Amino acid sequence: MKQIYGLVQVRALELRDFRRYEHALLEFPTEGVAFVGPNAAGKTSFLEALHKVALLRGFGKEEEMVRWGKRGYRLRVRLSTGTAEVSYEQGKGTRVVWEGEAITPLARWIGRIPVVLLRPGDSEWIEGPAAVRRRWADRLLSQVSSTYLGTLMQYERALAQRNALLGQPDSTPALLDSWEALLVETGPFLQRMRLQLAPLLEDSLRTFYGCFGPEKIHLHYKTTVDPSPEAWRKAWSHLRPKEVHVGRTLIGPHLEDFQVQLGEQPARGYASEGQKKSLLIALKWAELQHLKGQQTFSPLLLLDDVGEKLDKPRLEALGQLTRLAGQTFVTDVEERRVREAFPELPIVRLPLMS
Amino acid sequence: MEALLPPSLASLKEALERLPGIGPRSALRLIQAFLRKPELLQSVLGSLQQVQTSVRMCRRCGFWAESDGGLCIICTDAGREEPVLCVVKEPSDILAIERSQAFRGQYHVLGGVLDPLSGVQEKDLRLKELWQRIRTEGYEEVVLALGTSPEAETTTYYIARHLADWPGRITRFASGIPVGSDLEYVDPLTLSRSLRERQPIHV
Ligand SMILES: [Zn+2]
C-alpha cells in the first residue's frame, strides 16, 4: 500500500445514500469548516461520514446510516495525499479503496487519518461503565499502533474462544492451556500499552485542565493481573476452577479500567457538570497531543454540537483545540457561538431538510 | 423477485447460493449459462456425479483420492522420501504448498482447526490419525502449517504440546515477509514475529 505522508487534509467529501443524503458533495478549505443549521438539518451526518472514513465506524448502527430503501452507501474523500472511498453494503460490510487499491485487512486502514471526536454524550467517559473507557483507549491506541489493533483483535477472538470452551463440559486442561498460550502472548502487551498511555495523557490533562481549576487530575490504569505471562499463568492456576464454574475468563484487559480522579475524589459521581465539561475538553487536548506526537501528521478534530451550555472560558478553550488539529469540523445550531469560538472557520449554513 | 422464478429454478438458485463464494447475482449468472448451453449443464452434471462416486478422502493423509486403493497420488509417490510430515488444515492447502515445489515429504490433512465458538472440538479433527501416523511412520520432523488465525495458532500449540515427548523436531512455517516486498509495507505483526523467529544465514 502506498503510504500517506505529510499533512492529511480533507479537500472534499462526497456522500451517496448516506443517512438522509442521496448525494452531497462538499469542498473544504485547509482550516476546516463549521456546519451551522437547526436540529435535524443533517449537520452531524458530515462529521459521521468523516469519522466512518477515518476509523471505519459511524456514530450509530450501519443499517441506520444507509439511506432509507437502499442497500448501502458510498463515501469518497479527496485528501491532500490521495482519494479514498469507503463503502458499505448490507451483507458485505465495509470496503476501503485507497487510490484504486482495495485495503485488506481493513485494520491496515485505521490510523491513516487520525481523528479526535467530541460529542454530547461523551460525559459517559467520566460517568459510564469501564467498557466506555476501554473502547476509548482502544480507539486511541489503535490509531497510533497497528500492532495494538492487530493484537487486540487476536486477543478478543482468543478470549471469546476460551470463554466458549469454559462453558463446555469437556474443556480439558490441555485445550485450556492452548487457548491461554495465545492470551498470554497478546493480553500483557495490551495491558502494557494502556499502562504507558495513562501517565502520558495524565500529563497533558493536568496542563490543560489548569486553565479551568486548581484540582489535580489523576489518570490511572488499574489491572486485574500483572502484565506478564508468568503472572497470568500463576493467576489461572488458582482461578481456573472458578472460571470453569462461571464460564468466563476473570483476568485480563477486557475487565480493566482507567480511573479518573479530580484531586482526592473519583471524578465519577463527584465531578460537577462544569468540572466534567472542563475535563472532557482537557481530555480532547490530551488526545490531540498524543496523536500529534505519535504520527507524522495532525489529527482531524470533530466537534459535534458541543458548544451548547458552555460558558465563555470553556468555549474559548474549545477554540484552542484547533491549534493542535490539522483540520477542524464543527457543528452547531448557533452561528454567533461558532464565530466567537472558531473565528477562522468558514461557515456552511444548512437549511432544515424536508 | 424469487416469486418470478419457476419453482425448480428458485430451488437451484437457493442451492447454488449455499456454495462458498456464490452470491445471488452469480447464482443467476450460472443458471443463465446452464440454460443457454445444455451441453455445459450436461458436463457439469457428469463431473459432479463422477466426483460423488469415485473421489474419496485418502485413507492415509486425508487428501483427495480416486477410489482405487484408497491412497492419493502423493501417498503413492515413491519419490517423496523426506521423513517430514506436514500438517495442513484443508486439502486445498496441499495444492498451495505443492505449487512451490519446495517440499518432498508427506502431508496430513487435519480437516479444520479447534474452534469452540463454532463447535469444532478435538474429535472433529483427524488428530487420532495424526498421533498414529507419527508413532508408526518414522518421521524425523513434523511441520505445522495451519495458518496464523487465533484458531490456527491455538491448534498449532495444542499439537506441539501433545507431541512434547516425541523425539523428533516440531516446527512451523516461519511468518515471513513476502518475497519482493519492502519492509515498510509489511504489517507490524508479521514483522515482529519474523524478527522474533529470525534465522541465521548459512554461507
Ligand atoms: Zn494421501
Side-chain angles (χ1 to χ4, degrees):
Chain A
M1 183 170 117
K2 277 172 239 152
Q3 297 276 346
I4 303 175
Y5 286 121
L7 187 64
V8 172
Q9 280 188 325
V10 185
R11 300 262 163 84
L13 168 69
E14 187 178 10
L15 319 182
R16 255 180 219 284
D17 299 322
F18 187 74
R19 295 277 178 189
R20 288 155 65 191
Y21 290 97
E22 187 182 357
H23 181 245
L25 175 64
L26 289 156
E27 309 239 340
F28 301 125
T30 52
E31 315 83 75
V33 112
F35 299 100
V36 174
N39 287 321
K43 306 185 292 292
T44 299
S45 302
F46 294 111
L47 262 53
E48 185 178 34
L50 288 170
H51 196 266
K52 170 75 191 184
V53 167
L55 300 186
L56 308 185
R57 288 177 76 133
F59 302 158
K61 295 198 183 87
E62 290 291 350
E63 313 89 76
E64 298 165 0
M65 284 149 65
V66 178
R67 185 175 150 83
W68 181 253
K70 297 289 176 174
R71 293 186 49 85
Y73 59 79
R74 260 177 37 199
L75 308 170
R76 274 163 62 89
V77 289
R78 199 171 78 241
L79 302 173
S80 41
T81 44
T83 301
E85 180 172 304
V86 174
S87 55
Y88 168 82
E89 206 182 316
Q90 266 167 37
K92 287 191 180 166
T94 296
R95 199 176 125 85
V96 180
V97 176
W98 166 249
E99 289 285 87
E101 191 186 344
I103 303 287
T104 52
L106 287 179
R108 290 180 63 184
W109 180 251
I110 307 293
R112 304 276 152 182
I113 311 174
V115 160
V116 170
L117 168 72
L118 183 60
R119 306 194 67 208
D122 279 356
S123 53
E124 277 288 282
W125 186 79
I126 300 163
E127 293 294 349
V132 173
R133 285 173 292 279
R134 286 195 297 266
R135 266 201 306 277
W136 156 83
D138 288 342
R139 203 163 45 229
L140 189 58
L141 288 165
S142 298
Q143 292 191 63
V144 169
S145 158
S146 51
T147 307
Y148 183 88
L149 179 56
T151 308
L152 179 67
M153 285 160 62
Q154 292 243 327
Y155 176 80
E156 285 181 342
R157 183 75 188 170
L159 178 70
Q161 292 282 20
R162 183 177 187 263
N163 287 347
L165 186 64
L166 283 168
Q168 289 167 6
D170 54 349
S171 55
T172 62
L175 278 171
L176 283 169
D177 270 357
S178 303
W179 287 104
E180 286 162 15
L182 190 53
L183 287 171
V184 301
E185 196 187 332
T186 51
F189 173 79
L190 301 175
Q191 290 179 301
R192 284 197 302 273
M193 291 287 279
R194 290 182 186 176
L195 280 165
Q196 283 168 15
L197 179 69
L200 285 174
L201 291 185
E202 185 185 65
D203 236 29
S204 357
L205 268 169
R206 281 182 184 172
T207 313
F208 198 75
Y209 191 89
C211 320
F212 302 115
E215 306 88 0
K216 197 169 188 184
I217 295 182
H218 300 271
L219 183 66
H220 178 69
Y221 185 66
K222 197 163 179 298
T223 55
T224 50
V225 57
D226 280 348
S228 75
E230 300 72 41
W232 281 55
R233 288 206 189 85
K234 188 154 171 258
W236 269 326
S237 69
H238 306 296
L239 270 177
R240 243 199 216 168
K242 194 174 169 196
E243 289 183 321
V244 169
H245 183 69
V246 297
R248 55 202 167 77
T249 302
L250 297 174
I251 52 167
H254 64 289
L255 296 170
E256 298 173 348
D257 196 4
F258 288 84
Q259 293 178 327
V260 194
Q261 259 182 269
L262 274 175
E264 298 307 306
Q265 285 172 324
R268 187 180 185 174
Y270 287 94
S272 68
E273 287 306 308
Q275 284 173 324
K276 276 191 245 174
K277 284 174 189 150
S278 307
L279 189 54
L280 285 175
I281 297 172
L283 179 67
K284 296 304 139 179
W285 175 268
E287 287 177 32
L288 284 165
Q289 209 157 42
H290 187 66
L291 286 174
K292 207 175 148 78
Q294 303 280 334
Q295 301 279 18
T296 48
F297 40 83
S298 306
L300 303 184
L301 175 62
L302 309 180
L303 301 172
D304 185 23
D305 259 327
V306 288
E308 213 179 345
K309 294 180 199 153
L310 288 189
D311 56 12
K312 202 164 174 4
R314 292 196 181 87
L315 210 53
E316 256 167 35
L318 201 62
Q320 290 291 307
L321 296 182
T322 59
R323 282 177 28 212
L324 287 184
Q327 205 176 14
T328 304
F329 297 88
V330 179
T331 68
D332 205 316
V333 288
E334 258 193 65
E335 189 168 328
R336 184 188 46 81
R337 188 161 51 216
V338 172
R339 287 202 184 289
E340 212 170 291
F342 310 98
E344 315 87 54
L345 278 194
I347 288 175
V348 174
R349 292 180 197 85
L350 295 174
L352 193 60
M353 285 180 89
S354 50
Chain B
M1 189 194 70
E2 246 74 80
L4 296 176
L5 293 177
S8 55
L9 284 191
S11 92
L12 172 59
K13 179 168 175 280
E14 216 182 282
L16 288 174
E17 280 174 34
R18 264 179 271 143
L19 299 175
I22 309 268
R25 243 186 265 168
S26 32
L28 275 177
R29 272 212 300 277
L30 286 174
I31 290 173
Q32 213 150 270
F34 286 149
L35 295 178
R36 198 173 292 148
K37 291 187 187 160
E39 67 280 10
L40 179 66
L41 179 59
Q42 205 50 51
S43 91
V44 170
L45 268 178
S47 301
L48 285 174
Q49 223 141 37
Q50 184 68 29
V51 166
Q52 193 185 22
T53 52
S54 63
V55 174
R56 295 282 174 273
M57 185 192 273
C58 169
R59 64 181 158 82
R60 190 154 160 253
C61 74
F63 188 50
W64 302 308
E66 206 89 61
S67 52
D68 54 327
L71 286 177
C72 72
I73 195 160
I74 293 171
C75 287
T76 49
D77 180 352
R80 305 186 69 104
E81 294 169 326
E82 222 185 325
V84 179
L85 182 63
C86 178
V87 183
V88 295
K89 193 172 143 191
E90 305 289 352
S92 55
D93 297 330
I94 293 181
L95 295 180
I97 297 172
E98 283 299 296
R99 264 199 300 274
S100 75
Q101 301 191 327
F103 182 64
R104 296 300 293 162
Q106 301 294 317
Y107 290 100
H108 186 84
V109 178
L110 214 49
V113 285
L114 294 170
D115 188 347
L117 284 169
S118 313
V120 181
Q121 303 172 331
E122 298 145 288
K123 64 174 172 51
D124 302 314
L125 307 177
R126 299 179 64 249
L127 284 165
K128 281 211 187 76
E129 294 87 337
L130 177 63
W131 311 146
Q132 168 78 16
R133 289 186 68 188
I134 292 172
R135 256 199 320 274
T136 58
E137 292 180 12
Y139 296 106
E140 289 170 17
E141 180 175 346
V142 170
V143 190
L144 300 168
L146 297 171
T148 57
S149 70
E151 291 74 20
E153 297 267 356
T154 298
T155 310
T156 299
Y157 183 91
Y158 178 84
I159 294 173
R161 187 183 181 282
H162 188 95
L163 295 175
D165 296 330
W166 182 66
R169 250 157 57 93
I170 303 166
T171 55
R172 74 157 169 216
F173 275 15
S175 325
I177 292 154
V179 172
S181 55
D182 288 328
L183 282 191
E184 64 170 323
Y185 301 141
V186 177
D187 76 279
L189 272 183
T190 304
L191 208 54
S192 65
R193 178 162 289 168
S194 306
L195 197 61
R196 201 165 61 231
E197 295 171 2
R198 60 191 184 274
Q199 301 277 325
I201 300 170
H202 302 288
V203 283

